[in-house]
Amino acid sequence: MLSRTADHLFWMSRYTERAENTARMLDVNYQTSLLPQSAAVAQVGWQGMLSISELMPAYTAKHGEIDPVRVMPFMVKDESNPSSIVSCLRAARENARAVRGSLTTEAWETQNQTWLEVNRMLRSGEFERDPGQFFEWVKFRSHLSRGVTVGTMLMDEALHFMRLGTFLERADNTARLVDVKFHAVQSDFFGAATEQDQEYDFYHWSAILRSVSGFEIYRKVYRDVIKPERVADLLILRADMPRSLHASMNEVVSNLASVANDQSNETRRRAGKIRAELQYGHIDEILANGLHAFLTQFLDRVNDLGARISRDFLVPA
């Protein structure tokens, strides 16, 4: 496969997944903001949202103080923000258009229709009328794109590069979400002292689980009250949780093996090492050594992996 084609397919999938993850994070913040809470707690939530995407400097340069009324449009429809939902969907569609001949008709039409529809929805004010419904729509279109891709594409290198993009992006976003949200409430590891704190804890952690479609999975796996260390275990180490770091890295390793070439041995080794540490890791050890340090290192290694994949297979930046 031509490296330029592989590059477009890889980034088309990354941008589609990024739009979905941004919608998930905005949705959990929006739903949490509807709960009774102080202005300071709400401020921390929106600040965390910008930190996850490393957009704090860009936001403050444009808008100054953090204000939910400005953060939401900045993250959804600001075309000057390269990580906004509309920017990601546009980039996904442009990458798809560049390799139209490598996609099935269904895969192309799904990307194109998503782009046309999101523009119509933003023009008509549907996002402002019901943000929750808009975020659900973004998630659904990403699900549809993945389903159509797997259901209609030939299982060759094109599909493997698309899957690589999806799961590398997912690993990155899940790690960022866990890192920021676990630091939003400093007291969580020590248990909630009062009934009011316990109630806040429940809503805080259940909102995080819902943001990764993990609430029902948590109930099924642990059959217990929601505890921070188990949320971390589910989102980091469980291979059967679709959006966990372990599940994402399983897919990255598998798809890397399918497109391996003479110069990708070191990239495969590094990916396999990350996967092995997740496979044989224990949440107590991770928490004892520091969750933030673990996730920061994980993000650095995933970014290194992305750069190596680009160097081994794709068009040089």
Side-chain angles (χ1 to χ4, degrees):
M1 167 175 282
L2 287 172
S3 60
R4 186 170 298 280
T5 302
D7 186 66
H8 285 302
L9 293 169
F10 178 81
W11 282 104
M12 179 192 81
S13 296
R14 282 203 78 156
Y15 280 121
T16 302
E17 181 72 19
R18 191 173 298 176
E20 178 187 349
N21 281 296
T22 301
R24 285 176 177 278
M25 291 187 287
L26 281 168
D27 195 28
V28 70
N29 261 43
Y30 172 67
Q31 300 297 342
T32 307
S33 72
L34 301 178
L35 300 170
Q37 59 182 334
S38 68
V41 171
Q43 183 92 344
V44 168
W46 291 108
Q47 192 172 324
M49 173 75 236
L50 292 166
S51 298
I52 289 173
S53 308
E54 296 181 2
L55 288 170
M56 188 68 79
Y59 174 84
T60 50
K62 189 166 187 177
H63 296 295
E65 283 189 24
I66 294 171
D67 178 358
V69 177
R70 289 175 175 166
V71 175
M72 291 260 278
F74 177 73
M75 293 298 294
V76 171
K77 59 182 186 177
D78 189 336
E79 295 192 20
S80 68
N81 170 13
S83 292
S84 69
I85 289 174
V86 73
S87 293
C88 288
L89 293 178
R90 181 182 66 235
R93 191 255 189 182
E94 288 304 308
N95 277 288
R97 188 166 64 86
V99 287
R100 171 70 187 85
S102 298
L103 299 172
T104 58
T105 301
E106 294 91 339
W108 158 249
E109 286 182 350
T110 301
Q111 289 286 350
N112 194 43
Q113 185 62 35
T114 299
W115 170 241
L116 296 173
E117 188 71 6
V118 76
N119 279 290
R120 183 196 65 75
M121 292 172 81
L122 292 176
R123 279 198 306 270
S124 66
E126 288 186 37
F127 160 61
E128 286 81 2
R129 279 197 296 277
D130 190 345
Q133 190 61 41
F134 175 80
F135 297 139
E136 284 300 319
W137 177 85
V138 175
K139 287 191 276 183
F140 172 76
R141 294 303 297 188
S142 180
H143 296 327
L144 184 62
S145 176
R146 262 194 317 276
V148 165
T149 298
V150 173
T152 66
M153 293 279 291
L154 186 66
M155 294 181 190
D156 62 358
E157 286 189 330
L159 181 64
H160 294 310
F161 279 114
M162 291 165 75
R163 302 284 285 173
L164 259 179
T166 294
F167 289 102
L168 205 60
E169 185 68 29
R170 183 175 297 181
D172 181 273
N173 278 277
T174 299
R176 290 176 189 276
L177 177 75
V178 174
D179 192 25
V180 170
K181 292 301 180 183
F182 266 74
H183 282 72
V185 185
Q186 293 293 333
S187 63
D188 281 330
F189 284 124
F190 307 102
T194 68
E195 192 173 322
Q196 188 177 356
D197 285 342
Q198 287 174 350
E199 196 171 302
Y200 175 77
D201 270 7
F202 173 79
Y203 286 119
H204 178 77
W205 297 114
S206 61
I208 291 167
L209 287 168
R210 285 195 169 95
S211 76
V212 290
S213 301
F215 186 75
E216 289 88 354
I217 292 174
Y218 182 97
R219 291 294 198 206
K220 186 173 183 179
V221 171
Y222 299 106
R223 302 177 184 276
D224 196 1
V225 295
I226 298 174
K227 296 179 180 177
E229 59 272 20
R230 287 185 173 171
V231 173
D233 183 51
L234 184 73
L235 300 186
I236 295 172
L237 299 178
R238 291 285 305 204
D240 50 0
M241 163 64 186
R243 305 191 77 82
S244 73
L245 303 189
H246 190 174
S248 298
M249 287 310 301
N250 279 346
E251 290 284 347
V252 169
V253 169
S254 168
N255 285 285
L256 261 179
S258 298
V259 296
N261 62 21
D262 293 339
Q263 58 197 42
S264 65
N265 288 338
E266 178 61 15
T267 303
R268 289 182 63 195
R269 187 191 72 80
R270 293 189 183 208
K273 188 178 178 185
I274 298 172
R275 196 263 300 268
E277 288 175 13
L278 293 167
Q279 186 174 349
Y280 297 107
H282 198 283
I283 196 62
D284 291 342
E285 290 177 2
I286 291 172
L287 295 178
N289 293 326
L291 183 65
H292 178 63
F294 172 84
L295 291 170
T296 301
Q297 185 188 45
F298 178 85
L299 283 167
D300 288 343
R301 293 165 78 184
V302 163
N303 289 336
D304 172 64
L305 212 54
R308 286 182 165 278
I309 288 169
S310 291
R311 194 160 62 245
D312 292 348
F313 304 104
L314 312 177
V315 176

